[in-house]
Amino acid sequence: MSAPVASAEETAVRAIIEIADDGLILGHRLSEWCGHAPILEEELALANMGLDLLGQARALYACAGELEGKGRSEDDFAFLRRERDYRNCLLVERENRDFAHTMLRQLYFAAFMQPMWQAIAESSSDENLRGIAAKADKEMTYHLRHAGEWVIRLGDGTEESAARMADAVTELHRYTGELFMASPARAQAITNGLLPDPETIRATWDDTIATVFAAAKLELPEVRVPQKGGRDGIHGEDMGHLLAELQFMQRAYPGQTW
């Protein structure tokens, strides 16, 4: 028996949730730096970038819930799904490890999402999405500049900071290919004009990363087999630990509000 064909609304909801989950999970990762950042100024910067991402996720969950029409709220999407239901890319769930890993992960993601938000703001067929994207584009422009400056500072810094940044490149670069892979839902959203094709911003992403890496004296590694699976709900071990912390309050005290 063939699988039932998803409606345009169902594929749109799924495609929007993929972007929302990226923001939620990366925002949570940045929040883990609270009380642990290397300097006070960076403590504030990381927290603010995390809040930007959580704000984008909230707006997208609300948009998805409205399209879905089943009464699910942003909290339902964020806190009451199982691990396999999250559609974030694997890059954003990678553990913080150290400051070099965190800044490189932020650079990879912001270099992708800044032009993506810009494209959504200019071309999406959905008015709500265009409004969310216009605000997020400005936020992500700051994230990109901030992360790029740190990658250059650390990569072209001391012997230890350069070694840690090189280690971060070795660990994380293999996860960047998934950013450009369109899931079946995303492919349908592209066809319907809801979202742009990620491939249209690949050249911009490549140029940004090459420019930062040249200034940071880092080498781009060759990745023959990109890591993928997050868009299909197949996550790494880190994801389970992250969700246990993220969902604890709602699971322990269902329905509680601030």
Side-chain angles (χ1 to χ4, degrees):
M1 180 181 295
S2 59
V5 177
S7 68
E9 288 77 14
E10 289 171 333
T11 56
V13 168
R14 166 72 180 269
I16 292 170
I17 285 176
E18 289 178 4
I19 305 175
D21 286 348
D22 284 350
L24 174 72
I25 299 303
L26 186 56
H28 182 81
R29 278 292 184 225
L30 292 181
S31 77
E32 293 173 343
W33 276 102
C34 288
H36 303 283
I39 54 177
L40 179 59
E41 186 178 27
E42 201 56 31
E43 178 93 7
L44 299 174
L46 289 167
N48 279 325
M49 289 193 292
L51 287 173
D52 287 342
L53 292 166
L54 291 177
Q56 293 162 21
R58 285 189 64 185
L60 291 168
Y61 287 140
C63 184
E66 186 175 334
L67 275 174
E68 185 183 55
K70 295 181 179 178
R72 286 204 286 180
S73 69
E74 56 199 56
D75 287 344
D76 294 324
F77 287 115
F79 298 123
L80 298 178
R81 285 181 293 154
R82 298 173 301 176
E83 180 178 331
R84 289 294 298 268
D85 295 329
Y86 285 82
R87 303 299 176 180
N88 57 278
C89 63
L90 296 179
L91 174 68
V92 299
E93 69 187 58
R94 303 304 300 161
E95 60 181 346
N96 290 328
R97 292 189 61 173
D98 61 22
F99 192 66
H101 277 73
T102 297
M103 283 298 108
L104 183 67
R105 185 186 61 204
Q106 203 66 19
L107 171 68
Y108 284 148
F109 185 75
F112 174 79
M113 282 308 300
Q114 189 278 323
M116 176 58 67
W117 283 127
Q118 192 173 58
I120 293 172
E122 293 172 352
S123 66
S124 176
S125 59
D126 187 279
E127 184 178 359
N128 286 339
L129 277 184
R130 293 199 301 273
I132 295 169
K135 180 175 183 291
D137 176 23
K138 298 173 184 174
E139 295 167 343
M140 205 55 65
T141 297
Y142 166 73
H143 294 202
L144 177 57
R145 183 174 67 248
H146 186 85
E149 289 174 350
W150 268 112
V151 169
I152 293 171
R153 193 177 306 168
L154 295 175
D156 191 25
T158 66
E159 183 177 341
E160 180 175 351
S161 72
R164 291 195 181 204
M165 187 54 74
D167 180 66
V169 173
T170 301
E171 167 64 22
L172 294 176
H173 201 80
R174 56 192 163 139
Y175 293 97
T176 59
E178 192 178 23
L179 292 169
F180 299 94
M181 297 178 185
S183 68
R186 182 60 172 267
Q188 190 61 51
I190 294 168
T191 300
N192 294 339
L194 183 71
L195 295 172
D197 188 340
E199 281 297 334
T200 61
I201 62 171
R202 183 184 285 275
T204 301
W205 187 88
D206 287 343
D207 287 345
T208 300
I209 299 302
T211 299
V212 173
F213 271 39
K217 299 179 180 177
L218 294 169
E219 294 185 6
L220 279 171
E222 180 182 359
V223 179
R224 296 184 177 182
V225 183
Q227 298 294 303
K228 61 180 182 179
R231 301 301 188 206
D232 296 320
I234 302 171
H235 301 283
E237 181 180 352
D238 295 336
M239 186 69 171
H241 297 291
L242 183 153
L243 290 179
E245 182 175 341
L246 176 70
Q247 296 184 337
F248 172 77
M249 289 296 290
Q250 272 292 343
R251 297 292 188 185
Y253 306 100
Q256 292 295 304
T257 58
W258 291 98

